[in-house]
Amino acid sequence: MQTVMVFNNVSVDGYIADDKGDMSFARNEDAEWNEFTRGNAKGGGMLLFGRKTYDLMVSFWPTPVAAAMMPEVAEKMNSAKKVVFSKTMEKAEWKNTTLVKSDPVEAVRKMKSEAGEGIVIFGSGTIVAQLAGAGLIDEYLIAVIPVALGGGRTMFEGLEEKQRLKLTKHRVFGNGNVLLHYEPVR
C-alpha cells in the first residue's frame, strides 16, 4: 500500500499561495535549504496536483529557467509520474502526466492500494481538504516560510471537519524556514 504525503510551503499567516495563486513567496533560498530541496528531489513516487497547482508547476518546471536555476529538481519534476485532477482540462501536456476527471477521493483510494513508491501532493488545497476529510493522507511536511501574505489560498481549502495532527519532528533552517512533520491523529 502506498502512502500519501502532502508537502507544502506555507506563509507564517497560513497561506500556500497569495490571492492571485502565486507561490513564489516560498523562494527563500540559501545553501542549506537548496541542499534539502535537492535531496527531496531524489526521492521517488508519483506527484499529484489539482488543476490550479498543475498550471503553476507546468508553467515553470519544463522551462530552461527552471533547468538553469535548479537542475536536479527540474529533472525530477519533469521525469516523475504525475496526476492532475481536473474536470475542465481536456488534456495534460506535461511529460508523464495523467489527467483524472473522476472523484479524487476514489481515485486516490485506488492509487494507495496499488504498488508504488508513494504519492506526494504539492499545493492543491482543495484536493488536500478532500483527501484529509476521507482519511487518505498519511503525512504532512509543512515548510513555514517567514513571510506574511495577508490573504490567499489555504492548504485545507473547503475542509469540512477539523483535522487533528501530531508533530513527529521538525527542522529549523538558517534562512528562517521551519520544516514541520505531522501525522494525522486517527
Side-chain angles (χ1 to χ4, degrees), residues 39-79:
N40 259 4
K42 292 177 184 168
M46 179 173 22
L47 306 178
L48 191 151
F49 307 105
R51 192 217 23 100
K52 291 176 186 174
T53 303
Y54 172 85
D55 287 346
L56 288 170
M57 297 290 186
V58 76
S59 72
F60 178 69
W61 289 113
T63 68
V65 172
M69 289 175 66
M70 304 168 84
E72 298 97 341
V73 179
E75 162 59 27
K76 182 62 178 185
M77 294 295 288
N78 292 316
S79 65

PDB file of all heavy atoms in Angstrom, residues 39-79:
ATOM      1  N   GLY A  39      17.909  17.117  -2.136  1.00  0.00           N
ATOM      2  CA  GLY A  39      17.746  15.793  -1.523  1.00  0.00           C
ATOM      3  C   GLY A  39      16.333  15.275  -1.663  1.00  0.00           C
ATOM      4  O   GLY A  39      16.112  14.092  -1.946  1.00  0.00           O
ATOM      5  N   ASN A  40      15.355  16.149  -1.471  1.00  0.00           N
ATOM      6  CA  ASN A  40      13.952  15.760  -1.643  1.00  0.00           C
ATOM      7  C   ASN A  40      13.676  15.328  -3.065  1.00  0.00           C
ATOM      8  O   ASN A  40      12.890  14.409  -3.299  1.00  0.00           O
ATOM      9  CB  ASN A  40      13.032  16.938  -1.289  1.00  0.00           C
ATOM     10  CG  ASN A  40      12.449  16.805   0.081  1.00  0.00           C
ATOM     11  OD1 ASN A  40      12.759  15.893   0.829  1.00  0.00           O
ATOM     12  ND2 ASN A  40      11.583  17.734   0.426  1.00  0.00           N
ATOM     13  N   ALA A  41      14.295  15.997  -4.010  1.00  0.00           N
ATOM     14  CA  ALA A  41      14.068  15.694  -5.421  1.00  0.00           C
ATOM     15  C   ALA A  41      14.576  14.307  -5.793  1.00  0.00           C
ATOM     16  O   ALA A  41      14.167  13.744  -6.806  1.00  0.00           O
ATOM     17  CB  ALA A  41      14.722  16.750  -6.309  1.00  0.00           C
ATOM     18  N   LYS A  42      15.462  13.735  -4.987  1.00  0.00           N
ATOM     19  CA  LYS A  42      15.998  12.402  -5.277  1.00  0.00           C
ATOM     20  C   LYS A  42      15.025  11.300  -4.908  1.00  0.00           C
ATOM     21  O   LYS A  42      15.196  10.156  -5.291  1.00  0.00           O
ATOM     22  CB  LYS A  42      17.330  12.204  -4.549  1.00  0.00           C
ATOM     23  CG  LYS A  42      18.426  13.091  -5.097  1.00  0.00           C
ATOM     24  CD  LYS A  42      19.707  12.947  -4.322  1.00  0.00           C
ATOM     25  CE  LYS A  42      20.734  13.933  -4.858  1.00  0.00           C
ATOM     26  NZ  LYS A  42      21.884  14.066  -4.004  1.00  0.00           N
ATOM     27  N   GLY A  43      13.995  11.641  -4.134  1.00  0.00           N
ATOM     28  CA  GLY A  43      13.000  10.646  -3.738  1.00  0.00           C
ATOM     29  C   GLY A  43      12.154  10.213  -4.920  1.00  0.00           C
ATOM     30  O   GLY A  43      12.077  10.878  -5.937  1.00  0.00           O
ATOM     31  N   GLY A  44      11.508   9.080  -4.764  1.00  0.00           N
ATOM     32  CA  GLY A  44      10.665   8.558  -5.830  1.00  0.00           C
ATOM     33  C   GLY A  44       9.207   8.892  -5.580  1.00  0.00           C
ATOM     34  O   GLY A  44       8.871   9.711  -4.732  1.00  0.00           O
ATOM     35  N   GLY A  45       8.374   8.236  -6.306  1.00  0.00           N
ATOM     36  CA  GLY A  45       6.942   8.391  -6.103  1.00  0.00           C
ATOM     37  C   GLY A  45       6.273   9.220  -7.178  1.00  0.00           C
ATOM     38  O   GLY A  45       6.919   9.819  -8.040  1.00  0.00           O
ATOM     39  N   MET A  46       4.966   9.231  -7.083  1.00  0.00           N
ATOM     40  CA  MET A  46       4.122   9.950  -8.027  1.00  0.00           C
ATOM     41  C   MET A  46       3.751  11.306  -7.437  1.00  0.00           C
ATOM     42  O   MET A  46       3.526  11.425  -6.237  1.00  0.00           O
ATOM     43  CB  MET A  46       2.863   9.126  -8.288  1.00  0.00           C
ATOM     44  CG  MET A  46       1.894   9.757  -9.226  1.00  0.00           C
ATOM     45  SD  MET A  46       0.496   8.682  -9.672  1.00  0.00           S
ATOM     46  CE  MET A  46       0.384   7.498  -8.388  1.00  0.00           C
ATOM     47  N   LEU A  47       3.667  12.322  -8.290  1.00  0.00           N
ATOM     48  CA  LEU A  47       3.260  13.663  -7.876  1.00  0.00           C
ATOM     49  C   LEU A  47       1.793  13.857  -8.220  1.00  0.00           C
ATOM     50  O   LEU A  47       1.342  13.446  -9.285  1.00  0.00           O
ATOM     51  CB  LEU A  47       4.111  14.718  -8.579  1.00  0.00           C
ATOM     52  CG  LEU A  47       5.620  14.574  -8.437  1.00  0.00           C
ATOM     53  CD1 LEU A  47       6.338  15.665  -9.230  1.00  0.00           C
ATOM     54  CD2 LEU A  47       6.032  14.604  -6.979  1.00  0.00           C
ATOM     55  N   LEU A  48       1.065  14.487  -7.327  1.00  0.00           N
ATOM     56  CA  LEU A  48      -0.362  14.686  -7.521  1.00  0.00           C
ATOM     57  C   LEU A  48      -0.695  16.164  -7.365  1.00  0.00           C
ATOM     58  O   LEU A  48      -0.237  16.803  -6.418  1.00  0.00           O
ATOM     59  CB  LEU A  48      -1.108  13.852  -6.472  1.00  0.00           C
ATOM     60  CG  LEU A  48      -2.599  13.687  -6.632  1.00  0.00           C
ATOM     61  CD1 LEU A  48      -3.009  12.361  -6.027  1.00  0.00           C
ATOM     62  CD2 LEU A  48      -3.351  14.805  -5.989  1.00  0.00           C
ATOM     63  N   PHE A  49      -1.492  16.692  -8.301  1.00  0.00           N
ATOM     64  CA  PHE A  49      -1.845  18.108  -8.292  1.00  0.00           C
ATOM     65  C   PHE A  49      -3.328  18.300  -8.584  1.00  0.00           C
ATOM     66  O   PHE A  49      -3.917  17.533  -9.334  1.00  0.00           O
ATOM     67  CB  PHE A  49      -1.105  18.882  -9.405  1.00  0.00           C
ATOM     68  CG  PHE A  49       0.372  18.721  -9.426  1.00  0.00           C
ATOM     69  CD1 PHE A  49       0.990  17.932 -10.384  1.00  0.00           C
ATOM     70  CD2 PHE A  49       1.164  19.374  -8.499  1.00  0.00           C
ATOM     71  CE1 PHE A  49       2.368  17.801 -10.424  1.00  0.00           C
ATOM     72  CE2 PHE A  49       2.544  19.247  -8.532  1.00  0.00           C
ATOM     73  CZ  PHE A  49       3.142  18.453  -9.491  1.00  0.00           C
ATOM     74  N   GLY A  50      -3.875  19.387  -8.046  1.00  0.00           N
ATOM     75  CA  GLY A  50      -5.132  19.914  -8.549  1.00  0.00           C
ATOM     76  C   GLY A  50      -4.799  20.769  -9.764  1.00  0.00           C
ATOM     77  O   GLY A  50      -3.633  21.061 -10.050  1.00  0.00           O
ATOM     78  N   ARG A  51      -5.813  21.198 -10.500  1.00  0.00           N
ATOM     79  CA  ARG A  51      -5.575  21.933 -11.743  1.00  0.00           C
ATOM     80  C   ARG A  51      -4.839  23.247 -11.539  1.00  0.00           C
ATOM     81  O   ARG A  51      -3.929  23.589 -12.293  1.00  0.00           O
ATOM     82  CB  ARG A  51      -6.887  22.193 -12.487  1.00  0.00           C
ATOM     83  CG  ARG A  51      -6.603  22.695 -13.893  1.00  0.00           C
ATOM     84  CD  ARG A  51      -7.520  23.735 -14.448  1.00  0.00           C
ATOM     85  NE  ARG A  51      -8.250  24.551 -13.551  1.00  0.00           N
ATOM     86  CZ  ARG A  51      -7.914  25.802 -13.212  1.00  0.00           C
ATOM     87  NH1 ARG A  51      -6.820  26.352 -13.667  1.00  0.00           N
ATOM     88  NH2 ARG A  51      -8.675  26.500 -12.410  1.00  0.00           N
ATOM     89  N   LYS A  52      -5.186  24.007 -10.514  1.00  0.00           N
ATOM     90  CA  LYS A  52      -4.535  25.310 -10.312  1.00  0.00           C
ATOM     91  C   LYS A  52      -3.044  25.149 -10.022  1.00  0.00           C
ATOM     92  O   LYS A  52      -2.217  25.867 -10.579  1.00  0.00           O
ATOM     93  CB  LYS A  52      -5.212  26.073  -9.172  1.00  0.00           C
ATOM     94  CG  LYS A  52      -6.615  26.524  -9.505  1.00  0.00           C
ATOM     95  CD  LYS A  52      -7.270  27.196  -8.314  1.00  0.00           C
ATOM     96  CE  LYS A  52      -8.724  27.507  -8.601  1.00  0.00           C
ATOM     97  NZ  LYS A  52      -9.421  28.030  -7.422  1.00  0.00           N
ATOM     98  N   THR A  53      -2.703  24.202  -9.159  1.00  0.00           N
ATOM     99  CA  THR A  53      -1.284  23.968  -8.865  1.00  0.00           C
ATOM    100  C   THR A  53      -0.575  23.401 -10.080  1.00  0.00           C
ATOM    101  O   THR A  53       0.559  23.783 -10.380  1.00  0.00           O
ATOM    102  CB  THR A  53      -1.134  23.029  -7.649  1.00  0.00           C
ATOM    103  OG1 THR A  53      -1.812  23.617  -6.533  1.00  0.00           O
ATOM    104  CG2 THR A  53       0.330  22.816  -7.297  1.00  0.00           C
ATOM    105  N   TYR A  54      -1.222  22.499 -10.798  1.00  0.00           N
ATOM    106  CA  TYR A  54      -0.645  21.949 -12.022  1.00  0.00           C
ATOM    107  C   TYR A  54      -0.294  23.074 -12.992  1.00  0.00           C
ATOM    108  O   TYR A  54       0.803  23.098 -13.559  1.00  0.00           O
ATOM    109  CB  TYR A  54      -1.619  20.961 -12.669  1.00  0.00           C
ATOM    110  CG  TYR A  54      -1.181  20.495 -14.034  1.00  0.00           C
ATOM    111  CD1 TYR A  54      -0.294  19.432 -14.170  1.00  0.00           C
ATOM    112  CD2 TYR A  54      -1.648  21.122 -15.197  1.00  0.00           C
ATOM    113  CE1 TYR A  54       0.120  19.006 -15.424  1.00  0.00           C
ATOM    114  CE2 TYR A  54      -1.238  20.693 -16.452  1.00  0.00           C
ATOM    115  CZ  TYR A  54      -0.355  19.639 -16.556  1.00  0.00           C
ATOM    116  OH  TYR A  54       0.060  19.223 -17.798  1.00  0.00           O
ATOM    117  N   ASP A  55      -1.221  24.009 -13.178  1.00  0.00           N
ATOM    118  CA  ASP A  55      -0.973  25.122 -14.107  1.00  0.00           C
ATOM    119  C   ASP A  55       0.266  25.915 -13.696  1.00  0.00           C
ATOM    120  O   ASP A  55       1.071  26.303 -14.551  1.00  0.00           O
ATOM    121  CB  ASP A  55      -2.180  26.054 -14.183  1.00  0.00           C
ATOM    122  CG  ASP A  55      -3.348  25.463 -14.958  1.00  0.00           C
ATOM    123  OD1 ASP A  55      -3.167  24.443 -15.665  1.00  0.00           O
ATOM    124  OD2 ASP A  55      -4.465  26.025 -14.846  1.00  0.00           O
ATOM    125  N   LEU A  56       0.439  26.148 -12.401  1.00  0.00           N
ATOM    126  CA  LEU A  56       1.636  26.861 -11.928  1.00  0.00           C
ATOM    127  C   LEU A  56       2.898  26.041 -12.165  1.00  0.00           C
ATOM    128  O   LEU A  56       3.919  26.563 -12.632  1.00  0.00           O
ATOM    129  CB  LEU A  56       1.508  27.188 -10.433  1.00  0.00           C
ATOM    130  CG  LEU A  56       0.515  28.267 -10.060  1.00  0.00           C
ATOM    131  CD1 LEU A  56       0.311  28.305  -8.547  1.00  0.00           C
ATOM    132  CD2 LEU A  56       0.992  29.625 -10.558  1.00  0.00           C
ATOM    133  N   MET A  57       2.839  24.761 -11.840  1.00  0.00           N
ATOM    134  CA  MET A  57       4.018  23.893 -11.973  1.00  0.00           C
ATOM    135  C   MET A  57       4.435  23.729 -13.435  1.00  0.00           C
ATOM    136  O   MET A  57       5.614  23.823 -13.758  1.00  0.00           O
ATOM    137  CB  MET A  57       3.740  22.521 -11.347  1.00  0.00           C
ATOM    138  CG  MET A  57       3.476  22.548  -9.869  1.00  0.00           C
ATOM    139  SD  MET A  57       4.974  22.952  -8.955  1.00  0.00           S
ATOM    140  CE  MET A  57       4.397  22.730  -7.291  1.00  0.00           C
ATOM    141  N   VAL A  58       3.471  23.489 -14.320  1.00  0.00           N
ATOM    142  CA  VAL A  58       3.802  23.263 -15.727  1.00  0.00           C
ATOM    143  C   VAL A  58       4.287  24.551 -16.399  1.00  0.00           C
ATOM    144  O   VAL A  58       4.993  24.498 -17.415  1.00  0.00           O
ATOM    145  CB  VAL A  58       2.614  22.629 -16.486  1.00  0.00           C
ATOM    146  CG1 VAL A  58       1.524  23.636 -16.788  1.00  0.00           C
ATOM    147  CG2 VAL A  58       3.085  21.944 -17.760  1.00  0.00           C
ATOM    148  N   SER A  59       3.958  25.699 -15.821  1.00  0.00           N
ATOM    149  CA  SER A  59       4.443  26.956 -16.405  1.00  0.00           C
ATOM    150  C   SER A  59       5.894  27.240 -16.014  1.00  0.00           C
ATOM    151  O   SER A  59       6.518  28.127 -16.590  1.00  0.00           O
ATOM    152  CB  SER A  59       3.549  28.123 -15.978  1.00  0.00           C
ATOM    153  OG  SER A  59       3.745  28.436 -14.617  1.00  0.00           O
ATOM    154  N   PHE A  60       6.435  26.476 -15.050  1.00  0.00           N
ATOM    155  CA  PHE A  60       7.806  26.730 -14.609  1.00  0.00           C
ATOM    156  C   PHE A  60       8.749  25.558 -14.850  1.00  0.00           C
ATOM    157  O   PHE A  60       9.784  25.718 -15.504  1.00  0.00           O
ATOM    158  CB  PHE A  60       7.828  27.104 -13.126  1.00  0.00           C
ATOM    159  CG  PHE A  60       9.223  27.340 -12.592  1.00  0.00           C
ATOM    160  CD1 PHE A  60       9.955  28.445 -12.999  1.00  0.00           C
ATOM    161  CD2 PHE A  60       9.801  26.434 -11.715  1.00  0.00           C
ATOM    162  CE1 PHE A  60      11.254  28.655 -12.531  1.00  0.00           C
ATOM    163  CE2 PHE A  60      11.091  26.643 -11.242  1.00  0.00           C
ATOM    164  CZ  PHE A  60      11.816  27.753 -11.650  1.00  0.00           C
ATOM    165  N   TRP A  61       8.432  24.369 -14.342  1.00  0.00           N
ATOM    166  CA  TRP A  61       9.423  23.282 -14.312  1.00  0.00           C
ATOM    167  C   TRP A  61       9.922  22.817 -15.672  1.00  0.00           C
ATOM    168  O   TRP A  61      11.112  22.491 -15.793  1.00  0.00           O
ATOM    169  CB  TRP A  61       8.904  22.115 -13.472  1.00  0.00           C
ATOM    170  CG  TRP A  61       8.902  22.476 -12.022  1.00  0.00           C
ATOM    171  CD1 TRP A  61       7.809  22.643 -11.223  1.00  0.00           C
ATOM    172  CD2 TRP A  61      10.037  22.772 -11.210  1.00  0.00           C
ATOM    173  NE1 TRP A  61       8.203  23.031  -9.961  1.00  0.00           N
ATOM    174  CE2 TRP A  61       9.571  23.114  -9.925  1.00  0.00           C
ATOM    175  CE3 TRP A  61      11.412  22.796 -11.432  1.00  0.00           C
ATOM    176  CZ2 TRP A  61      10.416  23.457  -8.877  1.00  0.00           C
ATOM    177  CZ3 TRP A  61      12.252  23.142 -10.385  1.00  0.00           C
ATOM    178  CH2 TRP A  61      11.764  23.461  -9.128  1.00  0.00           C
ATOM    179  N   PRO A  62       9.137  22.776 -16.712  1.00  0.00           N
ATOM    180  CA  PRO A  62       9.681  22.340 -18.004  1.00  0.00           C
ATOM    181  C   PRO A  62      10.432  23.435 -18.772  1.00  0.00           C
ATOM    182  O   PRO A  62      10.726  23.262 -19.952  1.00  0.00           O
ATOM    183  CB  PRO A  62       8.447  21.899 -18.793  1.00  0.00           C
ATOM    184  CG  PRO A  62       7.297  21.949 -17.877  1.00  0.00           C
ATOM    185  CD  PRO A  62       7.681  22.803 -16.730  1.00  0.00           C
ATOM    186  N   THR A  63      10.743  24.547 -18.133  1.00  0.00           N
ATOM    187  CA  THR A  63      11.379  25.665 -18.832  1.00  0.00           C
ATOM    188  C   THR A  63      12.899  25.655 -18.666  1.00  0.00           C
ATOM    189  O   THR A  63      13.426  25.110 -17.695  1.00  0.00           O
ATOM    190  CB  THR A  63      10.845  27.013 -18.312  1.00  0.00           C
ATOM    191  OG1 THR A  63      11.289  27.203 -16.966  1.00  0.00           O
ATOM    192  CG2 THR A  63       9.326  27.082 -18.395  1.00  0.00           C
ATOM    193  N   PRO A  64      13.613  26.304 -19.573  1.00  0.00           N
ATOM    194  CA  PRO A  64      15.061  26.447 -19.427  1.00  0.00           C
ATOM    195  C   PRO A  64      15.447  27.208 -18.149  1.00  0.00           C
ATOM    196  O   PRO A  64      16.494  26.946 -17.563  1.00  0.00           O
ATOM    197  CB  PRO A  64      15.478  27.225 -20.680  1.00  0.00           C
ATOM    198  CG  PRO A  64      14.401  26.968 -21.674  1.00  0.00           C
ATOM    199  CD  PRO A  64      13.144  26.811 -20.877  1.00  0.00           C
ATOM    200  N   VAL A  65      14.611  28.136 -17.715  1.00  0.00           N
ATOM    201  CA  VAL A  65      14.892  28.894 -16.486  1.00  0.00           C
ATOM    202  C   VAL A  65      14.950  27.945 -15.296  1.00  0.00           C
ATOM    203  O   VAL A  65      15.866  28.007 -14.480  1.00  0.00           O
ATOM    204  CB  VAL A  65      13.833  30.002 -16.258  1.00  0.00           C
ATOM    205  CG1 VAL A  65      13.995  30.650 -14.902  1.00  0.00           C
ATOM    206  CG2 VAL A  65      13.910  31.044 -17.362  1.00  0.00           C
ATOM    207  N   ALA A  66      13.973  27.043 -15.185  1.00  0.00           N
ATOM    208  CA  ALA A  66      13.964  26.071 -14.088  1.00  0.00           C
ATOM    209  C   ALA A  66      15.179  25.162 -14.157  1.00  0.00           C
ATOM    210  O   ALA A  66      15.820  24.883 -13.132  1.00  0.00           O
ATOM    211  CB  ALA A  66      12.681  25.249 -14.121  1.00  0.00           C
ATOM    212  N   ALA A  67      15.514  24.701 -15.355  1.00  0.00           N
ATOM    213  CA  ALA A  67      16.674  23.821 -15.527  1.00  0.00           C
ATOM    214  C   ALA A  67      17.966  24.517 -15.132  1.00  0.00           C
ATOM    215  O   ALA A  67      18.868  23.890 -14.575  1.00  0.00           O
ATOM    216  CB  ALA A  67      16.754  23.328 -16.964  1.00  0.00           C
ATOM    217  N   ALA A  68      18.061  25.807 -15.387  1.00  0.00           N
ATOM    218  CA  ALA A  68      19.268  26.555 -15.012  1.00  0.00           C
ATOM    219  C   ALA A  68      19.318  26.842 -13.506  1.00  0.00           C
ATOM    220  O   ALA A  68      20.375  26.760 -12.897  1.00  0.00           O
ATOM    221  CB  ALA A  68      19.322  27.867 -15.791  1.00  0.00           C
ATOM    222  N   MET A  69      18.172  27.175 -12.932  1.00  0.00           N
ATOM    223  CA  MET A  69      18.130  27.535 -11.511  1.00  0.00           C
ATOM    224  C   MET A  69      18.278  26.331 -10.587  1.00  0.00           C
ATOM    225  O   MET A  69      18.981  26.396  -9.587  1.00  0.00           O
ATOM    226  CB  MET A  69      16.805  28.241 -11.180  1.00  0.00           C
ATOM    227  CG  MET A  69      16.692  29.628 -11.743  1.00  0.00           C
ATOM    228  SD  MET A  69      15.054  30.338 -11.448  1.00  0.00           S
ATOM    229  CE  MET A  69      15.047  30.492  -9.690  1.00  0.00           C
ATOM    230  N   MET A  70      17.574  25.256 -10.891  1.00  0.00           N
ATOM    231  CA  MET A  70      17.524  24.082 -10.018  1.00  0.00           C
ATOM    232  C   MET A  70      17.518  22.820 -10.874  1.00  0.00           C
ATOM    233  O   MET A  70      16.501  22.149 -11.003  1.00  0.00           O
ATOM    234  CB  MET A  70      16.269  24.143  -9.137  1.00  0.00           C
ATOM    235  CG  MET A  70      16.169  25.407  -8.316  1.00  0.00           C
ATOM    236  SD  MET A  70      14.541  25.610  -7.574  1.00  0.00           S
ATOM    237  CE  MET A  70      14.735  24.625  -6.106  1.00  0.00           C
ATOM    238  N   PRO A  71      18.655  22.481 -11.490  1.00  0.00           N
ATOM    239  CA  PRO A  71      18.668  21.389 -12.471  1.00  0.00           C
ATOM    240  C   PRO A  71      18.198  20.036 -11.927  1.00  0.00           C
ATOM    241  O   PRO A  71      17.441  19.330 -12.598  1.00  0.00           O
ATOM    242  CB  PRO A  71      20.114  21.328 -12.946  1.00  0.00           C
ATOM    243  CG  PRO A  71      20.902  22.185 -12.023  1.00  0.00           C
ATOM    244  CD  PRO A  71      19.964  23.108 -11.339  1.00  0.00           C
ATOM    245  N   GLU A  72      18.620  19.661 -10.710  1.00  0.00           N
ATOM    246  CA  GLU A  72      18.230  18.359 -10.160  1.00  0.00           C
ATOM    247  C   GLU A  72      16.732  18.299  -9.901  1.00  0.00           C
ATOM    248  O   GLU A  72      16.070  17.301 -10.180  1.00  0.00           O
ATOM    249  CB  GLU A  72      18.978  18.038  -8.857  1.00  0.00           C
ATOM    250  CG  GLU A  72      20.477  17.932  -9.022  1.00  0.00           C
ATOM    251  CD  GLU A  72      21.192  19.232  -8.664  1.00  0.00           C
ATOM    252  OE1 GLU A  72      20.553  20.312  -8.640  1.00  0.00           O
ATOM    253  OE2 GLU A  72      22.405  19.175  -8.412  1.00  0.00           O
ATOM    254  N   VAL A  73      16.194  19.376  -9.357  1.00  0.00           N
ATOM    255  CA  VAL A  73      14.767  19.422  -9.045  1.00  0.00           C
ATOM    256  C   VAL A  73      13.950  19.446 -10.343  1.00  0.00           C
ATOM    257  O   VAL A  73      12.957  18.726 -10.478  1.00  0.00           O
ATOM    258  CB  VAL A  73      14.427  20.621  -8.144  1.00  0.00           C
ATOM    259  CG1 VAL A  73      12.931  20.671  -7.853  1.00  0.00           C
ATOM    260  CG2 VAL A  73      15.222  20.565  -6.840  1.00  0.00           C
ATOM    261  N   ALA A  74      14.383  20.253 -11.309  1.00  0.00           N
ATOM    262  CA  ALA A  74      13.674  20.324 -12.587  1.00  0.00           C
ATOM    263  C   ALA A  74      13.649  18.959 -13.265  1.00  0.00           C
ATOM    264  O   ALA A  74      12.600  18.528 -13.772  1.00  0.00           O
ATOM    265  CB  ALA A  74      14.315  21.367 -13.499  1.00  0.00           C
ATOM    266  N   GLU A  75      14.777  18.262 -13.253  1.00  0.00           N
ATOM    267  CA  GLU A  75      14.847  16.928 -13.857  1.00  0.00           C
ATOM    268  C   GLU A  75      13.839  15.996 -13.197  1.00  0.00           C
ATOM    269  O   GLU A  75      13.105  15.274 -13.868  1.00  0.00           O
ATOM    270  CB  GLU A  75      16.267  16.364 -13.736  1.00  0.00           C
ATOM    271  CG  GLU A  75      16.386  14.869 -13.928  1.00  0.00           C
ATOM    272  CD  GLU A  75      15.898  14.355 -15.284  1.00  0.00           C
ATOM    273  OE1 GLU A  75      15.918  15.099 -16.274  1.00  0.00           O
ATOM    274  OE2 GLU A  75      15.464  13.192 -15.347  1.00  0.00           O
ATOM    275  N   LYS A  76      13.791  16.003 -11.877  1.00  0.00           N
ATOM    276  CA  LYS A  76      12.868  15.121 -11.156  1.00  0.00           C
ATOM    277  C   LYS A  76      11.411  15.504 -11.421  1.00  0.00           C
ATOM    278  O   LYS A  76      10.573  14.633 -11.671  1.00  0.00           O
ATOM    279  CB  LYS A  76      13.167  15.166  -9.657  1.00  0.00           C
ATOM    280  CG  LYS A  76      12.303  14.254  -8.848  1.00  0.00           C
ATOM    281  CD  LYS A  76      12.515  12.803  -9.246  1.00  0.00           C
ATOM    282  CE  LYS A  76      11.674  11.885  -8.398  1.00  0.00           C
ATOM    283  NZ  LYS A  76      11.936  10.496  -8.673  1.00  0.00           N
ATOM    284  N   MET A  77      11.106  16.793 -11.364  1.00  0.00           N
ATOM    285  CA  MET A  77       9.726  17.234 -11.600  1.00  0.00           C
ATOM    286  C   MET A  77       9.260  16.856 -12.997  1.00  0.00           C
ATOM    287  O   MET A  77       8.106  16.481 -13.185  1.00  0.00           O
ATOM    288  CB  MET A  77       9.607  18.746 -11.396  1.00  0.00           C
ATOM    289  CG  MET A  77       9.827  19.208  -9.970  1.00  0.00           C
ATOM    290  SD  MET A  77       8.600  18.621  -8.803  1.00  0.00           S
ATOM    291  CE  MET A  77       7.185  19.592  -9.278  1.00  0.00           C
ATOM    292  N   ASN A  78      10.136  16.955 -13.954  1.00  0.00           N
ATOM    293  CA  ASN A  78       9.766  16.676 -15.343  1.00  0.00           C
ATOM    294  C   ASN A  78       9.698  15.183 -15.654  1.00  0.00           C
ATOM    295  O   ASN A  78       8.904  14.760 -16.488  1.00  0.00           O
ATOM    296  CB  ASN A  78      10.705  17.389 -16.303  1.00  0.00           C
ATOM    297  CG  ASN A  78      10.524  18.889 -16.241  1.00  0.00           C
ATOM    298  OD1 ASN A  78       9.404  19.387 -16.208  1.00  0.00           O
ATOM    299  ND2 ASN A  78      11.618  19.618 -16.193  1.00  0.00           N
ATOM    300  N   SER A  79      10.524  14.373 -14.990  1.00  0.00           N
ATOM    301  CA  SER A  79      10.545  12.933 -15.290  1.00  0.00           C
ATOM    302  C   SER A  79       9.580  12.123 -14.422  1.00  0.00           C
ATOM    303  O   SER A  79       9.211  11.012 -14.790  1.00  0.00           O
ATOM    304  CB  SER A  79      11.965  12.385 -15.137  1.00  0.00           C
ATOM    305  OG  SER A  79      12.382  12.466 -13.789  1.00  0.00           O
TER     306      SER A  79
END
